[in-house]
């Protein structure tokens, strides 16, 4: 069946007249004169091919054809209203869908509060959350798999824009029974003979290199031991006595009885957390997410 070319004004006029059953009152409600209302009804009746109203002295009633058209006309107007509202909210970033990548350690810091603040402001935006390390997030952004990324030590890549939202100090992660765990502050050079448990460099090259630079600035090349892609696993391996680690301070929130977290010295280097997005992305939901990440009202 071909779609008829109907004017929304005609459908609206028809529905209002069917409710008022009086041309004068319907015209007043529509904010138009009575002759234009009559013209709109006649044009709609011409497209239907039958009268929609029975006109009598001082009375207007719906015809059989009018009774049949009325429910469909109301549904059409309701759906248009819903569609317009959804389009407006989508255009302003208040509705739609956003795909967010995040590094696991951020679940211990900014992620819960940021997602909660964004959800409170834009409850009708569907969020799709994907856990992934820094390097895969950059790839996922380029390939349009995610819309924004929350990552540590963002790479400087063409096409991607980044903005720092947090910086953290580094801490030492030690077995609780380790001699250095008795100290409140651990000199980095004291870790020179220890095997290190680290995330693989492929997970986040800049973060990995930051840890190596910390060790090198203390005069030694770290002895690499076990690797793990999750901080929970890194801490578990440290607890098992397989080595030590240097980690963001937020890792303290991983509570393991056999692990001690200690400040380090020198403590001049920090690790940054950033939000990343495609620099040319004009999606309004991305703009609104960035505002939430910045703490803008």
């Amino acid at each position: 069946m071909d779609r008829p070319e109907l004017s929304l004004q005609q459908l609206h006029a028809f529905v209002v007249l069917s409710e008022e059953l009086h041309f004068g009152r319907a015209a007043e409600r529509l904010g138009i004169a009575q002759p234009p209302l009559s013209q709109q009804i006649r044009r709609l009746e011409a497209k239907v091919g039958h009268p929609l109203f029975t006109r009598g002295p001082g009375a207007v009633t719906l015809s059989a054809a009018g009774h049949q058209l009325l429910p469909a006309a109301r549904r059409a107007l309701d759906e248009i209203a819903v569609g317009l509202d959804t389009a407006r909210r989508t255009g302003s970033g208040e509705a739609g869908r956003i795909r967010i990548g995040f590094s696991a350690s951020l679940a211990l810091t900014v992620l819960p509060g940021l997602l909660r603040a964004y959800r409170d402001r834009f409850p009708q935006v569907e969020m799709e959350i994907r856990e992934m390390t820094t390097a895969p997030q950059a790839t996922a952004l380029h390939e349009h798999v995610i819309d924004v990324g929350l990552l540590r030590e963002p790479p400087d890549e063409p096409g991607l824009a980044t903005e720092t939202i947090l910086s953290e100090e580094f801490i030492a992660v030690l077995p609780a029974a380790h001699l250095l765990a008795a100290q409140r502050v651990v000199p980095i050079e004291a870790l020179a003979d220890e095997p290190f448990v680290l995330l693989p460099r492929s997970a986040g090259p800049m973060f990995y290199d930051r840890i190596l630079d910390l060790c090198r600035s203390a005069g030694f090349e770290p002895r690499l031991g076990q690797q793990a892609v999750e901080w929970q696993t890194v801490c578990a391996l440290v607890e098992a006595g397989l080595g030590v680690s240097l980690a963001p301070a937020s890792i303290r929130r991983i509570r393991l009885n056999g692990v001690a977290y200690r400040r380090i010295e020198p403590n001049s280097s920090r690790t940054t957390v950033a939000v990343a997005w495609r620099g040319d992305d004009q999606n309004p939901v991305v703009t609104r997410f960035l505002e939430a990440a910045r703490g803008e009202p």
Side-chain angles (χ1 to χ4, degrees):
M1 180 184 298
D2 293 336
R3 292 179 178 176
E5 295 182 4
L6 295 178
S7 163
L8 290 178
Q9 284 184 325
Q10 292 170 10
L11 283 180
H12 189 205
F14 165 68
V15 169
V16 171
L17 183 57
S18 71
E19 293 170 351
E20 298 293 341
L21 295 178
H22 187 282
F23 273 91
R25 290 195 300 270
E28 183 178 357
R29 183 172 155 188
L30 290 166
I32 60 175
Q34 188 170 325
L37 171 60
S38 299
Q39 293 172 6
Q40 290 178 11
I41 297 300
R42 283 197 296 270
R43 291 190 186 106
L44 183 58
E45 288 176 326
K47 290 178 181 177
V48 173
H50 299 279
L52 297 173
F53 296 92
T54 300
R55 300 158 175 85
V60 177
T61 59
L62 277 168
S63 68
H67 276 292
Q68 189 66 35
L69 178 61
L70 182 57
R74 282 175 169 155
R75 285 195 302 271
L77 291 173
D78 287 344
E79 289 179 3
I80 286 293
V82 170
L84 286 172
D85 181 63
T86 301
R88 291 189 187 103
R89 288 186 288 106
T90 301
S92 63
E94 297 175 6
R97 182 169 71 104
I98 187 167
R99 300 163 300 172
I100 304 166
F102 75 97
S103 298
S105 66
L106 303 191
L108 304 171
T109 53
V110 297
L111 183 69
L114 174 54
L115 296 186
R116 184 167 52 250
Y118 182 71
R119 171 64 73 195
D120 288 346
R121 288 183 61 188
F122 306 108
Q124 296 183 10
V125 176
E126 177 187 354
M127 290 192 292
E128 181 182 321
I129 313 299
R130 302 187 182 191
E131 182 180 333
M132 56 181 70
T133 52
T134 294
Q137 280 194 62
T139 300
L141 282 167
H142 283 302
E143 296 179 353
H144 291 251
V145 174
I146 61 174
D147 302 304
V148 294
L150 294 167
L151 38 79
R152 193 174 292 280
E153 303 297 337
D156 183 12
E157 293 192 16
L160 296 187
T162 63
E163 190 169 316
T164 298
I165 57 175
L166 174 71
S167 69
E168 293 183 79
E169 64 181 14
F170 284 91
I171 59 171
V173 185
L174 309 168
H178 198 287
L179 290 175
L180 291 173
Q183 302 179 202
R184 293 183 61 186
V185 180
V186 174
I188 297 178
E189 61 267 23
L191 304 176
D193 296 328
E194 303 287 343
F196 273 72
V197 182
L198 297 176
L199 273 63
R201 189 176 188 277
S202 59
M206 293 183 68
F207 178 75
Y208 184 93
D209 292 346
R210 183 69 59 85
I211 291 177
L212 264 59
D213 289 343
L214 275 171
C215 296
R216 289 165 180 164
S217 65
F220 70 95
E221 191 73 21
R223 181 158 60 92
L224 303 180
Q226 303 297 320
Q227 291 187 332
V229 296
E230 303 289 348
W231 282 110
Q232 182 81 27
T233 307
V234 169
C235 293
L237 294 178
V238 171
E239 183 182 33
L242 299 182
V244 301
S245 190
L246 291 172
S250 57
I251 301 305
R252 287 192 184 103
R253 298 184 65 180
I254 299 177
R255 301 293 187 181
L256 294 175
N257 291 332
V259 174
Y261 304 106
R262 297 292 182 265
R263 296 191 66 189
I264 59 173
E265 60 178 9
N267 195 18
S268 57
S269 184
R270 300 179 71 86
T271 174
T272 60
V273 173
V275 59
W277 67 99
R278 289 179 294 277
D280 60 354
D281 196 336
Q282 301 298 313
N283 190 337
V285 296
V286 172
T287 301
R288 295 292 176 259
F289 186 86
L290 296 176
E291 291 173 357
R294 296 174 186 131
E296 297 178 6

